[in-house]
Amino acid sequence: MIEKYIAAMTAGDSKALAALFSDKCRYFDYCPVGVNRTNYHVYGRACIDMFFHNKFTFRTLVVTDPVIENENTANFLVAYGGTYLCARATIESYDENGLIRELTVCPA
């Protein structure tokens, strides 16, 4: 599943990204504070689609150079409005259908 997450993030595809998450999911990104922005706390599949559609459309979030660590974790470079940081995404839990229930992104 982490490979699909990385593929959607690097392609800037909010629909493909949202399809990986359960209806009542949580997406926490603790990296934006590193560039003086508010951290992201996004709840629910529909909100993930809308939130990332905006970020990808206006190129205020760009993911590059991913390295898959294991089935639940990947490292990558992420730009928040142009400033790149090293980040690590971890799928914390899945629902009963194998969709992501909780994913956390932290500074790497």
Side-chain angles (χ1 to χ4, degrees), residues 31-85:
C31 292
V33 73
V35 292
N36 297 319
R37 294 175 184 253
T38 304
N39 289 334
Y40 303 156
H41 299 104
V42 186
Y43 300 89
R45 179 187 298 151
C47 290
I48 286 178
D49 182 21
M50 289 184 287
F51 180 82
F52 284 98
H53 174 78
N54 181 44
K55 298 292 180 197
F56 295 150
T57 298
F58 296 104
R59 307 270 305 150
T60 58
L61 187 135
V62 177
V63 170
T64 63
D65 301 318
V67 175
I68 305 297
E69 282 188 25
N70 58 49
E71 63 186 26
N72 293 318
T73 308
N75 291 309
F76 49 89
L77 293 176
V78 59
Y80 300 95
T83 303
Y84 279 90
L85 300 172

Side-chain angles (χ1 to χ4, degrees), residues 1-37:
M1 187 64 80
I2 196 73
E3 293 91 354
K4 292 179 182 179
Y5 164 79
I6 289 296
M9 291 294 284
T10 56
D13 186 341
S14 63
K15 296 268 185 237
L17 181 64
L20 303 174
F21 287 84
S22 67
D23 285 332
K24 297 186 179 198
C25 63
R26 297 179 300 200
Y27 185 104
F28 302 138
D29 187 342
Y30 298 104
C31 292
V33 73
V35 292
N36 297 319
R37 294 175 184 253

